[in-house]
Amino acid sequence: MSTSVDFWDYLGTRHEQLLTDAYQHASAVFQCMVVATVLGVLIGVLTYRSGWAGNVATTVTSTVLTVPSLAMIGLLIPVVGLGVAPTVVALTLYGLLPIVRNAIVGLRGVDPTLVDAAKGIGMSRAARLFRVELPIAWPPILTGIRVSTQMLMGIAAIAAYASGPGLGNVIFRGIGSLGSRNALNQVLAGTLGIVVLALLFDAAYVLIGRLTIPRGIRV
Amino acid sequence: MSEPTAPGAAASGATIELENLTKRYPGSPEPAVDSVSMEIGAGETVIFVGPSGCGKSTTLKMINRLIEPTGGRIRINGEDVTDIDPVKLRRKVGYAIQSSGLFPHMTVAQNIALVPKMIGWGKARIRSRVEEMLDLVGLDPGEFHDRYPRQLSGGQQQRVGVARALAADPPVLLMDEPFGAVDPITRDHLQDELIRLQSELHKTIVFVTHDFDEAIKLGDRIAVLRERSHIAQFDTPEAILTNPADDFVSGFVGAGAALKRLNLTRVRDVEIADVPTVTVDDPLQDIFDKLRGGTTNELLLLDKRGRPYKWLRRGDLMRARGSLARAGTLVHDTVTRDATLRDALEAVLTDNAGRVAVTGRRGEYTGVVDMETLLNSVHEMLEADRLDAIEHQHDLEEQRAQLTHQEQEGAGPGPGGPGGAARA
Ligand SMILES: Nc1ncnc2c1ncn2[C@@H]1O[C@H](COP(=O)(O)OP(=O)(O)O)[C@@H](O)[C@H]1O
Ligand SMILES: [Mg+2]
């Protein structure tokens, strides 16, 4: 007879708490992704036309990514305190890299003759950007957003270290009480929750891609 | 015989004047375009032709200020546009380029609607304009309206590119090697279409190419450019073919000037004969009667849409036991009224009966030309050219005599300056 409580029983008794954690996890990732997307595309738009500025943006954002997430949150606590703030800052920073990089690559990849044609038929700078360059660069940008989201799903779990929200709390509780009745179930439930969330987000992105990528450039 | 250079009453083109237009790219000691001056008439088609890298595109793109000139002035219809808002300028100047430049994420209709939308046309007007433009460039609106560029062939893309450039009815159309990337047959069709279009619209067209044959075919006047966009000769195709200004121009004209001359005359300029026709919908008995009773022993069978389909001779129907599907010989080649005599000659030479059907815009039958008509026309044409050339030669000798006279008095200008040649 096993000492550990059956996993399904555990889920049955704790599902409310788990759902709240999952919701907070998803919500944190979603909100940070929105901010990271806006910032990332903005940085891409501001830098893609200059060789060095684009490279600086890519290098800086990829340097951020080399900082271990635990260390990043640790470093942020003295600056922004505990709780939601360090989570949001860290997630947004990490989320930037793939978006900035793909935005720059995507915008630079727009066929220069198309930009020439857009200018030639009298489109203003803004019209060129919003009606030609960004729509054509959108598929790689969306890929960047997808990659970012997957990455943030995992990183968000670390947020619990700084008393942040999300499924990380469940996992940390499990790790903190290893050997106890529910330890393994907690780690397992948290991890599975994150995987399920990641899959749900990914499905959402596939749908968004279907809805927002014009048929003319869909692969 | 020659192209009409003067626009008709409905001319919608504008004059273009370039005055000492110069472009110096940063970091290169020599200017890419060095003080080009030329005047282009309203409704005129002017071709810039010259070797790769001689500055054709740079000159062209300075007209809509895609490239900002470093010196000189541009005037369109007398208005100095050198310093106006380039975005505003470009909406009055159509622009079509080699790779068609269609936006892949927009449908054909959306691409064409872009400029009318930008200048604030109403929805209904834009919608009908898009249909009109598709029709104008020979694409069926119902079929192509909602397609994406990647669902079109190269030639179709080019047509849409031209439709987009013309959508807001700009007086000026700039084209940078628009047919450079399509196969020769399609290119030929597109050239014919452009000629037809221009005969309806009378835009002022500036067209860049490195293909002299294309220049001859399309241009009212041709500017042969050498390095730094210096004008070697700026004249009608006939004049350039019969009187190249110098070795550079003759080098560019290449061999076979007499054959190229055939490119300068179009089927509509020669006599188009009529042959008896029947359509596939006619009762078989009528067709029999016509074949038996007619003055010729041959009929042209037209399909449901009035397009040449088959040549029927006496006895063909009999041999096919009354089946129209099996009788006669298929029409394998037709020419449009805008096709050159060279194309017509080619078609006639390859036709075993020595004639070719002439078709209208939608491929419908309008007549027939045969070998005899063509030969007569060619003889007349060459004879006229010869007389012109003799006259021109005479003029030149007189001018030269005058020049020598002036030089001897120390007041003569140096021969062959770019400005001098441009005035030709
Ligand atoms: N953006 C540019 N920067 C520097 N040099 C250029 C640029 N564009 C064209 N050139 C140079 O100017 C000359 C003319 O180019 P172009 O007008 O494109 O020639 P063409 O269209 O006749 O082939 C070439 O020597 C080319 O190398
Ligand atoms: Mg060029």
Side-chain angles (χ1 to χ4, degrees):
Chain A
M1 175 165 167
S2 165
T3 52
S4 76
V5 181
D6 183 53
F7 183 58
W8 296 110
D9 287 349
Y10 169 78
L11 284 188
T13 51
R14 298 300 181 83
H15 70 271
E16 260 174 49
Q17 178 61 41
L18 282 172
L19 280 179
T20 310
D21 281 335
Y23 171 75
Q24 283 177 351
H25 198 97
S27 159
V29 168
F30 175 76
Q31 291 178 42
C32 293
M33 277 311 301
V34 171
V35 179
T37 301
V38 172
L39 276 181
V41 173
L42 195 68
I43 293 172
V45 164
L46 291 176
T47 57
Y48 78 102
R49 283 197 297 168
S50 144
W52 67 266
N55 294 344
V56 167
T58 318
T59 312
V60 169
T61 46
S62 53
T63 310
V64 168
L65 204 62
T66 60
V67 179
S69 42
L70 200 58
M72 167 76 86
I73 287 173
L75 288 171
L76 281 171
I77 292 173
V79 186
V80 295
L82 286 170
V84 175
T87 313
V88 169
V89 175
L91 288 188
T92 307
L93 279 179
Y94 283 119
L96 277 179
L97 168 76
I99 300 174
V100 169
R101 193 179 44 202
N102 281 26
I104 291 176
V105 169
L107 287 167
R108 283 184 179 169
V110 176
D111 183 350
T113 62
L114 290 183
V115 180
D116 195 57
K119 260 195 218 171
I121 64 169
M123 293 178 109
S124 62
R125 174 80 198 99
R128 255 152 31 216
L129 183 65
F130 288 108
R131 312 231 24 222
V132 177
E133 293 174 278
L134 278 176
I136 293 176
W138 177 238
I141 294 176
L142 190 61
T143 306
I145 296 173
R146 234 172 124 171
V147 171
S148 271
T149 309
Q150 303 286 319
M151 203 171 70
L152 293 203
M153 278 296 165
I155 294 177
I158 311 291
Y161 172 75
S163 321
L167 289 165
N169 287 304
V170 187
I171 300 176
F172 271 82
R173 242 178 277 134
I175 293 174
S177 59
L178 272 183
S180 80
R181 295 182 351 127
N182 264 332
L184 203 59
N185 285 333
Q186 286 172 325
V187 176
L188 198 59
T191 311
L192 276 178
I194 289 173
V195 169
V196 169
L197 279 184
L199 288 176
L200 286 177
F201 268 79
D202 220 41
Y205 283 126
V206 171
L207 192 69
I208 290 174
R210 284 251 138 226
L211 294 176
T212 58
I213 298 174
R215 243 180 342 118
I217 52 174
R218 217 178 277 159
V219 280
Chain B
M1 270 285 139
S2 69
E3 288 288 314
T5 45
S12 51
T15 60
I16 302 175
E17 278 169 76
L18 309 182
E19 188 188 311
N20 298 323
L21 207 54
T22 300
K23 178 65 189 185
R24 226 175 263 279
Y25 284 112
S28 69
E30 298 277 352
V33 171
D34 183 18
S35 194
V36 178
S37 297
M38 65 167 63
E39 287 180 18
I40 297 170
E44 196 178 17
T45 304
V46 164
I47 316 286
F48 292 173
V49 65
S52 183
C54 74
K56 303 180 294 291
S57 297
T58 305
T59 309
L60 186 83
K61 286 179 178 175
M62 282 196 283
I63 298 176
N64 66 357
R65 307 224 335 261
L66 272 181
I67 293 177
E68 289 290 351
T70 35
R73 314 301 301 172
I74 310 147
R75 274 183 287 273
I76 293 184
N77 248 0
E79 184 198 357
D80 194 321
V81 296
T82 326
D83 299 312
I84 71 165
D85 176 12
V87 170
K88 243 161 100 193
L89 164 67
R90 289 172 199 145
R91 290 180 188 174
K92 290 192 288 184
V93 178
Y95 182 59
I97 54 174
Q98 181 171 85
S99 52
S100 90
L102 293 182
F103 302 130
H105 58 297
M106 299 182 191
T107 63
V108 164
Q110 287 168 333
N111 267 287
I112 297 175
L114 272 172
V115 188
K117 233 183 218 163
M118 285 191 291
I119 58 176
W121 286 18
K123 272 211 171 99
R125 187 174 171 204
I126 293 178
R127 202 172 318 121
S128 70
R129 182 66 176 168
V130 167
E131 309 276 295
E132 187 187 339
M133 292 318 292
L134 279 172
D135 207 45
L136 183 75
V137 297
L139 295 175
D140 177 17
E143 189 179 347
F144 289 97
H145 194 272
D146 293 323
R147 288 221 199 156
Y148 283 94
R150 69 169 176 195
Q151 299 167 313
L152 305 178
S153 72
Q156 290 164 343
Q157 288 184 15
Q158 245 2 290
R159 284 163 197 262
V160 178
V162 172
R164 183 177 71 182
L166 289 174
D169 208 20
V172 174
L173 177 58
L174 306 180
M175 310 182 86
D176 194 348
E177 306 205 20
F179 310 145
V182 293
D183 63 273
I185 295 171
T186 309
R187 187 184 314 146
D188 220 53
H189 280 154
L190 290 171
Q191 291 166 347
D192 290 342
E193 290 278 296
L194 184 65
I195 291 165
R196 178 187 57 74
L197 240 150
Q198 172 66 342
S199 71
E200 286 176 26
L201 302 178
H202 307 288
K203 302 287 175 191
T204 303
I205 299 182
V206 185
F207 186 109
V208 163
T209 179
H210 58 253
D211 176 357
F212 190 71
D213 292 323
E214 183 167 70
I216 291 176
K217 187 170 172 187
L218 297 177
D220 293 330
R221 283 195 294 164
I222 299 174
V224 184
L225 304 179
R226 61 171 102 224
E227 71 285 356
R228 276 172 275 138
S229 221
H230 284 160
I231 300 173
Q233 189 169 6
F234 185 26
D235 213 330
T236 61
E238 289 88 346
I240 290 178
L241 279 177
T242 44
N243 267 301
D246 55 22
D247 288 349
F248 176 80
V249 178
S250 354
F252 220 85
V253 170
L259 272 178
K260 286 182 184 170
R261 185 64 184 77
L262 288 180
N263 282 333
L264 293 177
T265 309
R266 311 204 175 277
V267 170
R268 64 174 129 79
D269 299 325
V270 305
E271 196 183 324
I272 299 175
D274 232 345
V275 294
T277 59
V278 289
T279 77
V280 287
D281 292 332
D282 287 347
L284 214 51
Q285 191 55 46
D286 288 6
I287 300 178
F288 263 121
D289 292 347
K290 258 198 182 157
L291 268 176
R292 257 194 240 113
T295 46
T296 53
N297 60 354
E298 199 174 42
L299 281 182
L300 184 57
L301 177 64
L302 309 179
D303 68 9
K304 283 187 171 38
R305 294 156 92 177
R307 296 175 302 193
Y309 172 45
K310 274 178 176 181
W311 290 103
L312 286 180
R313 285 166 177 275
R314 251 175 229 174
D316 278 352
L317 265 181
M318 215 78 86
R319 269 192 293 282
R321 300 214 180 79
S323 154
L324 269 189
R326 268 177 290 144
T329 31
L330 281 176
V331 171
H332 56 84
D333 204 2
T334 60
V335 292
T336 65
R337 287 165 52 78
D338 295 315
T340 64
L341 284 199
R342 188 180 178 141
D343 296 335
L345 187 64
E346 178 85 32
V348 165
L349 282 174
T350 49
D351 185 273
N352 49 19
R355 35 82 176 126
V356 64
V358 182
T359 56
R361 276 195 59 183
R362 301 180 181 289
E364 79 279 8
Y365 164 83
T366 58
V368 166
V369 288
D370 60 16
M371 187 62 110
E372 203 186 324
T373 322
L374 280 182
L375 280 185
N376 287 340
S377 308
V378 171
H379 281 298
E380 273 171 34
M381 190 175 77
L382 289 177
E383 184 61 22
D385 276 359
R386 211 171 52 80
L387 292 177
D388 278 356
I390 291 172
E391 205 169 300
H392 201 95
Q393 199 62 36
H394 195 74
D395 287 352
L396 274 184
E397 268 157 27
E398 250 171 33
Q399 271 175 15
R400 240 176 249 140
Q402 247 176 351
L403 273 182
T404 335
H405 186 70
Q406 281 173 356
E407 262 164 28
Q408 278 164 351
E409 294 183 350
R423 255 183 272 114

